């Protein structure tokens, strides 16, 4: 998985990533209109999106969204419900037996807080989800977060900090930290 990243916008690396995003957007748009029972069609498209076949026993219910796909690492028996988004620029790993509820969003990319740098760079940090984690409907997992084994993320939670193993995290309250 990638470590923390800083990419200059309008660089060759950024343009290559943007081309991949367009390709994956086309692939996911095709995936998301297939008949639900077209297992062979879904398997072919997931292999193109992820760059490899789905692991044994992994289940993903479309609609499914990702911006890159190649940095999404799924272990065996992962379950991903409908309408989830994986912005995997900096890497997302889901351990064995992870369950992801509907409308969950994983975001590994962002921009600097400084307004002068915001349109110049893309930042990123990987997300790591250990084995047997349950992430409830509508949760948002932000860049750089690690979620420990057997943890539960409550529905609607916004996770900006690491989650210890075998714990329950809840909440989505925004707080002003500073002004410029």
């Amino acid at each position: 998985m990638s470590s923390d990243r800083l990419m200059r916008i309008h660089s060759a690396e950024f343009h290559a990533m943007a081309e991949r995003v367009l390709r994956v957007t086309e692939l996911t748009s095709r995936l998301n209109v297939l008949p639900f029972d077209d297992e062979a069609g879904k398997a072919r498209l997931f292999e193109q999106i992820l760059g490899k076949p789905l692991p044994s026993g992994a289940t993903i219910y479309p609609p499914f969204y990702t911006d890159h796909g190649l940095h999404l690492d799924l272990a065996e028996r992962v379950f991903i419900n409908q309408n989830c988004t994986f912005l995997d620029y900096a890497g997302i790993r889901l351990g064995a037996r992870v369950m992801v509820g509907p409308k969950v969003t994983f975001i590994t990319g962002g921009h600097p807080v400084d307004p002068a740098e915001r349109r110049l760079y893309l930042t990123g940090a990987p997300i790591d989800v250990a084995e047997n984690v349950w992430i409830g409907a509508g949760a948002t997992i932000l860049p750089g977060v690690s979620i420990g084994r057997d943890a539960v993320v409550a529905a609607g939670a916004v996770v900006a900090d690491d989650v210890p193993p075998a714990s329950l995290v809840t909440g989505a309250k925004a707080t002003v930290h500073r002004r410029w």
Side-chain angles (χ1 to χ4, degrees), residues 16-32:
M17 185 193 72
E19 287 178 18
R20 175 67 187 169
V21 168
L22 291 175
R23 173 72 176 134
V24 170
T25 300
E26 184 246 325
L27 292 169
T28 57
S29 68
R30 289 175 38 208
L31 170 75
N32 293 334

Side-chain angles (χ1 to χ4, degrees), residues 133-149:
V133 168
W134 176 23
I135 301 175
T140 300
I141 315 301
L142 296 177
V145 167
S146 290
I147 301 175
R149 182 184 183 104

Side-chain angles (χ1 to χ4, degrees), residues 3-23:
S3 60
D4 291 2
R5 299 192 55 166
L6 181 68
M7 180 191 307
R8 186 164 185 80
I9 294 175
H10 305 298
S11 66
E13 181 184 15
F14 181 83
H15 288 293
M17 185 193 72
E19 287 178 18
R20 175 67 187 169
V21 168
L22 291 175
R23 173 72 176 134

Side-chain angles (χ1 to χ4, degrees), residues 27 30-31 34-55 58 60 62:
L27 292 169
R30 289 175 38 208
L31 170 75
L34 282 178
F36 187 76
D37 62 354
D38 185 353
E39 296 298 329
K42 289 190 293 187
R44 278 192 304 276
L45 285 167
F46 276 124
E47 185 167 353
Q48 291 176 58
I49 292 165
L50 302 175
K52 58 190 170 211
L54 280 176
I60 302 175

Side-chain angles (χ1 to χ4, degrees), residues 49-134:
I49 292 165
L50 302 175
K52 58 190 170 211
L54 280 176
S56 174
T59 301
I60 302 175
Y61 286 164
F64 168 85
Y65 304 96
T66 184
D67 64 344
H68 199 277
L70 299 177
H71 299 149
L72 181 54
D73 180 18
L74 305 176
E76 293 184 353
R77 297 179 54 205
V78 165
F79 175 81
I80 299 170
N81 213 321
Q82 298 177 17
N83 216 15
C84 291
T85 300
F86 294 81
L87 303 182
D88 65 313
Y89 153 70
I92 299 170
R93 185 188 78 84
L94 300 184
R97 299 178 322 281
V98 167
M99 298 186 307
V100 179
K103 296 185 180 181
V104 171
T105 301
F106 294 83
I107 303 170
T108 66
H111 297 274
V113 174
D114 182 343
E117 295 183 353
R118 197 172 297 154
R119 295 187 186 275
L120 298 177
Y121 297 98
L122 180 65
T123 61
I127 294 171
D128 186 64
V129 181
E131 296 76 19
N132 206 40
V133 168
W134 176 23

Side-chain angles (χ1 to χ4, degrees), residues 145-179:
V145 167
S146 290
I147 301 175
R149 182 184 183 104
D150 298 323
V152 175
V153 175
V158 176
V159 183
D161 298 308
D162 289 350
V163 175
S167 61
L168 169 66
V169 294
T170 66
K173 184 179 180 211
T175 303
V176 174
H177 289 274
R178 66 179 172 171
R179 296 181 58 178

